[in-house]
């Protein structure tokens, strides 16, 4: 039971760390007026995850630890991949007024960055739905993790910088995967997946 709460807390912390780090990076790369879209990215991802859980309750029919393990592994891959993809999309906010292609680029840019938030939302939503009668404990883990991620972002950004802070967020998702790793999975495979 407790590993699930720890995994939810770590995923929540990594999600908030990622959101705050993206706010800083957006303000540098696209201008301060785009920095606030990091919040909408998180809302988009969590809203999409709720819709996916409602439309496809298959996530709720399997062992919760197994579901959290798979989603956490996908999260640690999605964070750096989506960030690298966003850096290769030729979106320039200053050209959006006269280049209509920038609207398309902006959509791809933000949808790609919403993927990690969707995966984290699926994991947290599955934990809330998969523990009837224990929602308060899962929610407490979520809130504690979110608070720790917010404080951690302040330290990580000043010590590590933006890109390494994003990798730290992915690593925290990897730790969440290790806490809920099913017993039948080889430990080495899980560790390699998290460290990759």
């Amino acid at each position: 039971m407790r590993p699930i709460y720890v995994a939810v807390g770590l995923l929540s912390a990594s999600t908030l760390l990622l959101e705050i780090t993206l706010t800083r990076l957006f303000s540098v790369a696209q201008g301060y007026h785009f920095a606030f879209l990091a919040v909408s990215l998180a809302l988009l991802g969590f809203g999409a995850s709720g819709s996916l859980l409602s439309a496809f309750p298959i996530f709720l029919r399997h062992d919760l630890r197994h579901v959290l393990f798979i989603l956490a592994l996908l999260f640690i891959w999605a964070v750096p991949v989506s960030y690298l993809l966003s850096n290769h999309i030729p979106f320039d906010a200053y050209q959006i007024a006269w280049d209509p292609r920038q609207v398309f680029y902006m959509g791809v840019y933000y949808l790609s960055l919403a993927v990690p938030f969707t995966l984290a939302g699926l994991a947290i939503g599955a934990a809330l739905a998969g523990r009837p009668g224990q929602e308060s404990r899962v929610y407490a883990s979520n809130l504690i993790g979110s608070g720790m991620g917010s404080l951690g972002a302040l330290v990580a950004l000043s010590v590590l910088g933006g890109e390494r802070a994003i990798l730290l967020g992915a690593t925290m998702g990897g730790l969440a995967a290790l806490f809920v790793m099913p017993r039948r999975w080889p430990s080495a495979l899980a560790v390699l997946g998290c460290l990759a």
Side-chain angles (χ1 to χ4, degrees):
M1 213 61 91
R2 288 180 184 170
I4 290 174
Y5 302 139
V6 174
V8 167
L10 285 169
L11 280 172
S12 302
S14 61
T15 303
L16 258 292
L17 190 143
L18 178 63
E19 182 180 349
I20 293 170
T21 304
L22 286 176
T23 302
R24 166 85 59 91
L25 293 175
F26 284 170
S27 66
V28 172
Q30 301 295 343
Y32 69 92
H33 49 283
F34 272 87
F36 303 105
L37 287 176
V39 177
S40 67
L41 272 177
L43 291 173
L44 173 66
F46 275 80
S49 69
S51 300
L52 287 171
L53 282 173
S54 178
F56 304 103
I58 190 169
F59 294 102
L60 309 175
R61 295 183 190 140
H62 296 285
D63 178 40
L64 182 58
R65 286 179 65 136
H66 186 259
V67 169
L68 291 178
F69 176 69
I70 296 297
L71 290 171
L73 282 183
L74 290 173
F75 178 83
I76 64 172
W77 284 95
V79 169
V81 168
S82 65
Y83 179 70
L84 290 173
L85 178 64
S86 70
N87 284 331
H88 286 88
I89 295 170
F91 171 58
D92 186 355
Y94 297 104
Q95 294 184 15
I96 204 165
W98 58 81
D99 185 1
R101 292 177 302 174
Q102 295 300 322
V103 175
F104 171 75
Y105 292 148
M106 183 177 75
V108 176
Y109 185 80
Y110 288 108
L111 285 176
S112 67
L113 287 169
V115 171
F117 295 104
T118 304
L119 292 169
L122 281 170
I124 295 167
L128 283 167
R131 291 289 173 203
Q134 300 173 7
E135 295 90 350
S136 60
R137 293 181 181 182
V138 176
Y139 191 55
S141 303
N142 173 252
L143 289 177
I144 292 169
S146 297
M148 298 299 284
S150 299
L151 292 174
L154 299 176
V155 176
L157 283 169
S158 60
V159 174
L160 300 174
E163 293 181 345
R164 290 183 180 161
I166 286 180
L167 291 177
L168 175 64
T171 304
M172 291 168 65
L175 289 175
L178 289 178
F179 272 96
V180 291
M181 181 181 62
R183 290 185 179 90
R184 66 179 183 271
W185 286 61
S187 300
L189 175 66
V191 171
L192 285 175
C194 293
L195 294 178

